Amino acid sequence: MMRVSPVSCAMAILLISACANEPEQPEQVNQTELAQPNKVPLQSRHRAEQKMVVAGAMMHDMALSQHLYLPPNNVITEKYLETPENGLFVTNEQPVSTFSIDVDTGSYTNIRRMLNHGLLPPADAVRAEDFINYFDYHYAPAASGQTFNLDTQLALSPWNKGRHLLKISLMGSQPEAQWQKPANLVFLVDVSGSMKAPDKLPLLIQSLRLLTSQLDKQDKVSIVTYAGQSNTLLASASGDQQLQIMQALDSLSAGGSTNGEGGIRQAYHLARANFIQEGVNRVILATDGDFNVGISDLEQLKDLIRQQRQSGVALTTLGFGSGNYNDALMESLSNLGNGQHAYIDNINEARKVLIDELSASMEIIASDVKIQVEFNPAVVAEYRLVGYQNRMLAREDFNNDHVDAGEVGAGHRVTALYELALTTSDIRQVDPLRYAENNQATSFSNELAQIKLRYKQPGNNASQLQSTIVSLQDHNREVDGDFAFAAAAAGFAQLLKGGKYMQHTGFADILQLAERGKGQDSHGYRSEFIRLVRSADALTTSQAGTL
């Protein structure tokens, strides 16, 4: 007899409740109609199929809870890029900061997986921008005919007394109907032996089934698999051929070695063959990232992706699993491929990424999006950007339209935080220069900074410029609402990286800050964040007690 743990029972109850509480649509859809999808109203068919997929995933998540991966001696052996925190800059010496935006969320969900498994993450696995941008914020929409709403807020730093936080926010325009453009998608699936675990191929299949349930007859789907060699499982199917696509996904099984380069080449070949002009053309790589290729082959692979993005085919990476997970490669490939990287640790995250945020993930409204901030040395003594370490650009790159930067999808929100010390503050971490500060210009004494945004609209090779001035008005207020929660997310990430710039701030302070900014939290993501902070606090205390 199979034994079911209390955790499994709780998960089942939550998932059943989630399905039961969804509002019903007037149209009734039965199983016979689902086999003939063109006879069913699209909205009703999608909702019915989503419920079936989520209900089917319920048993998968129950099984997954019984197979939590714990590496030997609780030592993380996964691969991460080295990401030391950004340092402080003295404004008088370097007043300009330039970076590419980033809309990835993979680091946050990957860290969530570790904390839920009772493990503190390695510092390099933590990317603060992923933590901040994982959450929705109530930003004002872009004005009619505009691509972005660019906004700023200034408040006292909740981490370090006597300092300030500058929040820069972008809100991308949202089409009237979600995901209007037809899509040409190639599912590139890793079916090598390393994908056998419950949190890998089985979860991957359930995730792509959710995405499939969103498609229509205007869309195209291809499926390529790779292990020791690549294989085209589905050359091209119309998006309304739901049964055929899902049967192909359900037929997948894991086994063999991993050579992802051949699979990627084949996936791009199909994407070009089925290319939709003025549509969404994208390869979706779903894997644990454990490619068995040499360094020279890896560099060739990166060059291939750089070339392919010029053809209009983007690359999204979906990460799965633990133990051998290669976050460094997954993030690098998505950056090179003008796409996003997400880590899927459970079916609810799959639903968030592939249903709730589908248009933001797929329909690009701006490419090569860069931000440049010029701080006023008469007002700002020093500054540091929180996160975006591997997105930093040279000052001259801002005006160079040949320099690659990040992409923003429809309705995407992007947030960045700078911590500042004003010239009037006694709390500085870098000694001022004796022979520079006395010669500062004062003609802009009420301006803190100028922020410039540069981006290209789809199909354009020339960028557009947007700018705003940040004033000192109301700069001594406390952070609240969304600002408080974004600061909590950034602060949590910094503590997990070692807290070099957090001084006397601890997890308890982050908890208070998150509670202050929690708000309505209709999806429960912020409540979950608060639980993760408590878990990290407990794990840190426990580890400290063993030293």
Side-chain angles (χ1 to χ4, degrees), residues 99-104 129 133 148 170 335 366-371 388 391 393 405-409 412 414-416 453-454:
F99 65 99
S100 162
I101 61 89
D102 192 352
V103 294
D104 294 344
E129 65 272 22
N133 289 320
F148 290 110
L170 291 181
N335 289 348
S367 61
D368 293 336
V369 184
K370 310 168 191 173
I371 291 176
Y388 295 91
R391 293 286 192 159
L393 298 173
E407 280 62 47
V408 174
H412 243 144
V414 181
T415 304
L453 170 69
R454 190 172 286 282

mmCIF file of all heavy atoms in Angstrom, residues 99-104 129 133 148 170 335 366-371 388 391 393 405-409 412 414-416 453-454:
data_model
loop_
_atom_site.group_PDB
_atom_site.id
_atom_site.type_symbol
_atom_site.label_atom_id
_atom_site.label_comp_id
_atom_site.label_asym_id
_atom_site.label_seq_id
_atom_site.Cartn_x
_atom_site.Cartn_y
_atom_site.Cartn_z
ATOM 1 N N PHE A 99 23.605 50.253 -17.288
ATOM 2 C CA PHE A 99 23.368 48.810 -17.248
ATOM 3 C C PHE A 99 22.235 48.420 -18.183
ATOM 4 O O PHE A 99 21.404 49.254 -18.582
ATOM 5 C CB PHE A 99 23.068 48.335 -15.817
ATOM 6 C CG PHE A 99 21.787 48.871 -15.224
ATOM 7 C CD1 PHE A 99 20.627 48.113 -15.212
ATOM 8 C CD2 PHE A 99 21.749 50.139 -14.637
ATOM 9 C CE1 PHE A 99 19.451 48.591 -14.662
ATOM 10 C CE2 PHE A 99 20.582 50.634 -14.077
ATOM 11 C CZ PHE A 99 19.425 49.851 -14.089
ATOM 12 N N SER A 100 22.222 47.148 -18.537
ATOM 13 C CA SER A 100 21.142 46.568 -19.335
ATOM 14 C C SER A 100 20.072 46.053 -18.385
ATOM 15 O O SER A 100 20.373 45.486 -17.334
ATOM 16 C CB SER A 100 21.694 45.418 -20.177
ATOM 17 O OG SER A 100 20.665 44.574 -20.630
ATOM 18 N N ILE A 101 18.820 46.225 -18.758
ATOM 19 C CA ILE A 101 17.742 45.717 -17.900
ATOM 20 C C ILE A 101 17.738 44.184 -17.939
ATOM 21 O O ILE A 101 18.316 43.559 -18.837
ATOM 22 C CB ILE A 101 16.365 46.274 -18.309
ATOM 23 C CG1 ILE A 101 15.982 45.879 -19.738
ATOM 24 C CG2 ILE A 101 16.341 47.785 -18.135
ATOM 25 C CD1 ILE A 101 15.262 44.589 -19.876
ATOM 26 N N ASP A 102 17.063 43.594 -16.954
ATOM 27 C CA ASP A 102 16.976 42.138 -16.847
ATOM 28 C C ASP A 102 15.594 41.792 -16.304
ATOM 29 O O ASP A 102 15.165 42.366 -15.301
ATOM 30 C CB ASP A 102 18.067 41.628 -15.902
ATOM 31 C CG ASP A 102 18.228 40.116 -15.961
ATOM 32 O OD1 ASP A 102 17.404 39.454 -16.612
ATOM 33 O OD2 ASP A 102 19.174 39.599 -15.342
ATOM 34 N N VAL A 103 14.917 40.854 -16.965
ATOM 35 C CA VAL A 103 13.584 40.455 -16.510
ATOM 36 C C VAL A 103 13.558 38.986 -16.083
ATOM 37 O O VAL A 103 12.493 38.412 -15.894
ATOM 38 C CB VAL A 103 12.519 40.701 -17.607
ATOM 39 C CG1 VAL A 103 12.360 42.176 -17.873
ATOM 40 C CG2 VAL A 103 12.869 39.954 -18.900
ATOM 41 N N ASP A 104 14.734 38.384 -15.904
ATOM 42 C CA ASP A 104 14.784 36.990 -15.465
ATOM 43 C C ASP A 104 14.279 36.865 -14.029
ATOM 44 O O ASP A 104 14.384 37.806 -13.235
ATOM 45 C CB ASP A 104 16.210 36.450 -15.531
ATOM 46 C CG ASP A 104 16.744 36.358 -16.945
ATOM 47 O OD1 ASP A 104 15.932 36.425 -17.889
ATOM 48 O OD2 ASP A 104 17.968 36.219 -17.115
ATOM 49 N N GLU A 129 18.452 41.164 -8.708
ATOM 50 C CA GLU A 129 17.467 41.658 -9.673
ATOM 51 C C GLU A 129 16.363 40.643 -9.922
ATOM 52 O O GLU A 129 15.201 41.006 -10.167
ATOM 53 C CB GLU A 129 18.140 42.075 -10.978
ATOM 54 C CG GLU A 129 18.808 40.966 -11.770
ATOM 55 C CD GLU A 129 20.247 40.696 -11.376
ATOM 56 O OE1 GLU A 129 20.633 41.059 -10.240
ATOM 57 O OE2 GLU A 129 20.979 40.113 -12.197
ATOM 58 N N ASN A 133 12.446 41.525 -9.317
ATOM 59 C CA ASN A 133 11.559 41.490 -10.474
ATOM 60 C C ASN A 133 10.642 40.275 -10.516
ATOM 61 O O ASN A 133 9.821 40.161 -11.432
ATOM 62 C CB ASN A 133 12.383 41.568 -11.762
ATOM 63 C CG ASN A 133 13.005 42.935 -11.976
ATOM 64 O OD1 ASN A 133 12.368 43.956 -11.709
ATOM 65 N ND2 ASN A 133 14.246 42.975 -12.436
ATOM 66 N N PHE A 148 6.923 52.801 -22.820
ATOM 67 C CA PHE A 148 7.211 52.646 -21.390
ATOM 68 C C PHE A 148 6.658 53.803 -20.574
ATOM 69 O O PHE A 148 6.593 54.941 -21.046
ATOM 70 C CB PHE A 148 8.725 52.589 -21.139
ATOM 71 C CG PHE A 148 9.387 51.335 -21.618
ATOM 72 C CD1 PHE A 148 10.246 51.372 -22.705
ATOM 73 C CD2 PHE A 148 9.176 50.128 -20.982
ATOM 74 C CE1 PHE A 148 10.873 50.226 -23.148
ATOM 75 C CE2 PHE A 148 9.794 48.975 -21.417
ATOM 76 C CZ PHE A 148 10.649 49.021 -22.507
ATOM 77 N N LEU A 170 10.161 50.648 -14.610
ATOM 78 C CA LEU A 170 9.662 50.675 -15.983
ATOM 79 C C LEU A 170 8.400 49.827 -16.048
ATOM 80 O O LEU A 170 8.368 48.721 -15.515
ATOM 81 C CB LEU A 170 10.675 50.075 -16.955
ATOM 82 C CG LEU A 170 11.976 50.810 -17.243
ATOM 83 C CD1 LEU A 170 12.786 50.000 -18.250
ATOM 84 C CD2 LEU A 170 11.702 52.187 -17.772
ATOM 85 N N ASN A 335 20.419 35.131 -22.184
ATOM 86 C CA ASN A 335 20.880 36.500 -22.423
ATOM 87 C C ASN A 335 21.367 36.669 -23.853
ATOM 88 O O ASN A 335 21.055 37.661 -24.524
ATOM 89 C CB ASN A 335 22.008 36.859 -21.449
ATOM 90 C CG ASN A 335 21.518 37.031 -20.023
ATOM 91 O OD1 ASN A 335 20.317 37.110 -19.774
ATOM 92 N ND2 ASN A 335 22.440 37.071 -19.086
ATOM 93 N N ALA A 366 10.098 45.783 -26.767
ATOM 94 C CA ALA A 366 11.303 46.606 -26.884
ATOM 95 C C ALA A 366 12.530 45.727 -26.698
ATOM 96 O O ALA A 366 12.541 44.826 -25.856
ATOM 97 C CB ALA A 366 11.306 47.723 -25.847
ATOM 98 N N SER A 367 13.546 45.994 -27.497
ATOM 99 C CA SER A 367 14.794 45.236 -27.391
ATOM 100 C C SER A 367 15.952 46.167 -27.089
ATOM 101 O O SER A 367 15.850 47.394 -27.254
ATOM 102 C CB SER A 367 15.059 44.466 -28.686
ATOM 103 O OG SER A 367 15.184 45.352 -29.783
ATOM 104 N N ASP A 368 17.063 45.572 -26.652
ATOM 105 C CA ASP A 368 18.276 46.317 -26.316
ATOM 106 C C ASP A 368 17.959 47.500 -25.393
ATOM 107 O O ASP A 368 18.332 48.653 -25.648
ATOM 108 C CB ASP A 368 18.985 46.803 -27.577
ATOM 109 C CG ASP A 368 19.545 45.652 -28.405
ATOM 110 O OD1 ASP A 368 19.787 44.584 -27.816
ATOM 111 O OD2 ASP A 368 19.721 45.807 -29.621
ATOM 112 N N VAL A 369 17.258 47.190 -24.304
ATOM 113 C CA VAL A 369 16.822 48.216 -23.354
ATOM 114 C C VAL A 369 17.944 48.486 -22.352
ATOM 115 O O VAL A 369 18.420 47.584 -21.667
ATOM 116 C CB VAL A 369 15.547 47.779 -22.617
ATOM 117 C CG1 VAL A 369 15.051 48.902 -21.702
ATOM 118 C CG2 VAL A 369 14.462 47.380 -23.611
ATOM 119 N N LYS A 370 18.371 49.754 -22.299
ATOM 120 C CA LYS A 370 19.476 50.160 -21.427
ATOM 121 C C LYS A 370 19.049 51.343 -20.568
ATOM 122 O O LYS A 370 18.226 52.163 -20.995
ATOM 123 C CB LYS A 370 20.690 50.577 -22.264
ATOM 124 C CG LYS A 370 21.106 49.606 -23.346
ATOM 125 C CD LYS A 370 22.114 50.260 -24.281
ATOM 126 C CE LYS A 370 22.350 49.431 -25.534
ATOM 127 N NZ LYS A 370 23.204 50.152 -26.510
ATOM 128 N N ILE A 371 19.636 51.417 -19.385
ATOM 129 C CA ILE A 371 19.401 52.549 -18.480
ATOM 130 C C ILE A 371 20.742 53.188 -18.150
ATOM 131 O O ILE A 371 21.730 52.488 -17.874
ATOM 132 C CB ILE A 371 18.683 52.097 -17.198
ATOM 133 C CG1 ILE A 371 17.245 51.676 -17.511
ATOM 134 C CG2 ILE A 371 18.685 53.208 -16.141
ATOM 135 C CD1 ILE A 371 16.481 51.121 -16.325
ATOM 136 N N TYR A 388 22.175 43.250 -10.829
ATOM 137 C CA TYR A 388 22.521 43.519 -12.227
ATOM 138 C C TYR A 388 24.030 43.430 -12.467
ATOM 139 O O TYR A 388 24.560 44.060 -13.386
ATOM 140 C CB TYR A 388 21.996 44.900 -12.666
ATOM 141 C CG TYR A 388 20.491 45.022 -12.681
ATOM 142 C CD1 TYR A 388 19.806 45.464 -11.546
ATOM 143 C CD2 TYR A 388 19.753 44.674 -13.805
ATOM 144 C CE1 TYR A 388 18.425 45.569 -11.549
ATOM 145 C CE2 TYR A 388 18.367 44.779 -13.813
ATOM 146 C CZ TYR A 388 17.710 45.222 -12.678
ATOM 147 O OH TYR A 388 16.346 45.319 -12.673
ATOM 148 N N ARG A 391 25.087 42.554 -15.901
ATOM 149 C CA ARG A 391 24.405 43.388 -16.905
ATOM 150 C C ARG A 391 25.023 44.776 -17.013
ATOM 151 O O ARG A 391 24.462 45.648 -17.678
ATOM 152 C CB ARG A 391 22.919 43.522 -16.540
ATOM 153 C CG ARG A 391 22.133 42.221 -16.641
ATOM 154 C CD ARG A 391 21.887 41.848 -18.078
ATOM 155 N NE ARG A 391 20.915 40.775 -18.239
ATOM 156 C CZ ARG A 391 20.242 40.532 -19.354
ATOM 157 N NH1 ARG A 391 20.455 41.283 -20.413
ATOM 158 N NH2 ARG A 391 19.392 39.539 -19.433
ATOM 159 N N LEU A 393 27.253 47.854 -18.182
ATOM 160 C CA LEU A 393 27.748 48.287 -19.484
ATOM 161 C C LEU A 393 28.710 49.448 -19.319
ATOM 162 O O LEU A 393 28.646 50.200 -18.340
ATOM 163 C CB LEU A 393 26.584 48.725 -20.382
ATOM 164 C CG LEU A 393 25.533 47.674 -20.752
ATOM 165 C CD1 LEU A 393 24.384 48.331 -21.504
ATOM 166 C CD2 LEU A 393 26.147 46.556 -21.581
ATOM 167 N N ALA A 405 21.564 44.334 -25.405
ATOM 168 C CA ALA A 405 21.051 44.541 -24.042
ATOM 169 C C ALA A 405 19.778 43.721 -23.889
ATOM 170 O O ALA A 405 19.463 42.875 -24.726
ATOM 171 C CB ALA A 405 20.813 46.031 -23.784
ATOM 172 N N GLY A 406 19.023 43.980 -22.826
ATOM 173 C CA GLY A 406 17.881 43.134 -22.497
ATOM 174 C C GLY A 406 16.619 43.461 -23.273
ATOM 175 O O GLY A 406 16.475 44.543 -23.852
ATOM 176 N N GLU A 407 15.698 42.504 -23.274
ATOM 177 C CA GLU A 407 14.405 42.648 -23.949
ATOM 178 C C GLU A 407 13.287 42.759 -22.915
ATOM 179 O O GLU A 407 13.385 42.191 -21.830
ATOM 180 C CB GLU A 407 14.137 41.446 -24.861
ATOM 181 C CG GLU A 407 14.842 41.518 -26.199
ATOM 182 C CD GLU A 407 16.349 41.546 -26.079
ATOM 183 O OE1 GLU A 407 16.923 40.735 -25.338
ATOM 184 O OE2 GLU A 407 16.977 42.409 -26.726
ATOM 185 N N VAL A 408 12.225 43.460 -23.280
ATOM 186 C CA VAL A 408 11.059 43.623 -22.401
ATOM 187 C C VAL A 408 9.817 43.179 -23.149
ATOM 188 O O VAL A 408 9.598 43.578 -24.296
ATOM 189 C CB VAL A 408 10.908 45.086 -21.930
ATOM 190 C CG1 VAL A 408 9.609 45.260 -21.144
ATOM 191 C CG2 VAL A 408 12.092 45.498 -21.070
ATOM 192 N N GLY A 409 9.013 42.339 -22.490
ATOM 193 C CA GLY A 409 7.777 41.863 -23.080
ATOM 194 C C GLY A 409 6.588 42.725 -22.720
ATOM 195 O O GLY A 409 6.671 43.627 -21.873
ATOM 196 N N HIS A 412 5.508 43.933 -19.090
ATOM 197 C CA HIS A 412 6.570 43.600 -18.137
ATOM 198 C C HIS A 412 6.866 44.793 -17.231
ATOM 199 O O HIS A 412 6.843 45.946 -17.662
ATOM 200 C CB HIS A 412 7.847 43.220 -18.879
ATOM 201 C CG HIS A 412 8.279 41.817 -18.627
ATOM 202 N ND1 HIS A 412 8.868 41.020 -19.578
ATOM 203 C CD2 HIS A 412 8.224 41.042 -17.503
ATOM 204 C CE1 HIS A 412 9.138 39.827 -19.070
ATOM 205 N NE2 HIS A 412 8.749 39.821 -17.823
ATOM 206 N N VAL A 414 9.909 46.301 -14.701
ATOM 207 C CA VAL A 414 11.334 46.189 -14.393
ATOM 208 C C VAL A 414 11.639 47.194 -13.293
ATOM 209 O O VAL A 414 11.229 48.353 -13.369
ATOM 210 C CB VAL A 414 12.216 46.478 -15.622
ATOM 211 C CG1 VAL A 414 13.686 46.323 -15.269
ATOM 212 C CG2 VAL A 414 11.848 45.565 -16.785
ATOM 213 N N THR A 415 12.373 46.738 -12.266
ATOM 214 C CA THR A 415 12.692 47.592 -11.121
ATOM 215 C C THR A 415 14.177 47.508 -10.832
ATOM 216 O O THR A 415 14.773 46.432 -10.870
ATOM 217 C CB THR A 415 11.909 47.152 -9.868
ATOM 218 O OG1 THR A 415 10.508 47.147 -10.165
ATOM 219 C CG2 THR A 415 12.166 48.095 -8.701
ATOM 220 N N ALA A 416 14.777 48.649 -10.527
ATOM 221 C CA ALA A 416 16.186 48.701 -10.122
ATOM 222 C C ALA A 416 16.304 49.622 -8.918
ATOM 223 O O ALA A 416 15.583 50.631 -8.817
ATOM 224 C CB ALA A 416 17.068 49.195 -11.260
ATOM 225 N N LEU A 453 16.728 56.402 -20.657
ATOM 226 C CA LEU A 453 16.308 55.069 -21.092
ATOM 227 C C LEU A 453 16.459 55.003 -22.607
ATOM 228 O O LEU A 453 15.984 55.882 -23.319
ATOM 229 C CB LEU A 453 14.855 54.831 -20.691
ATOM 230 C CG LEU A 453 14.146 53.594 -21.251
ATOM 231 C CD1 LEU A 453 14.730 52.329 -20.642
ATOM 232 C CD2 LEU A 453 12.650 53.665 -20.974
ATOM 233 N N ARG A 454 17.127 53.960 -23.091
ATOM 234 C CA ARG A 454 17.287 53.789 -24.535
ATOM 235 C C ARG A 454 16.807 52.407 -24.917
ATOM 236 O O ARG A 454 17.097 51.412 -24.233
ATOM 237 C CB ARG A 454 18.751 53.988 -24.949
ATOM 238 C CG ARG A 454 18.965 54.064 -26.450
ATOM 239 C CD ARG A 454 20.394 54.447 -26.796
ATOM 240 N NE ARG A 454 20.687 55.849 -26.553
ATOM 241 C CZ ARG A 454 20.317 56.844 -27.354
ATOM 242 N NH1 ARG A 454 19.589 56.590 -28.452
ATOM 243 N NH2 ARG A 454 20.649 58.083 -27.076
#
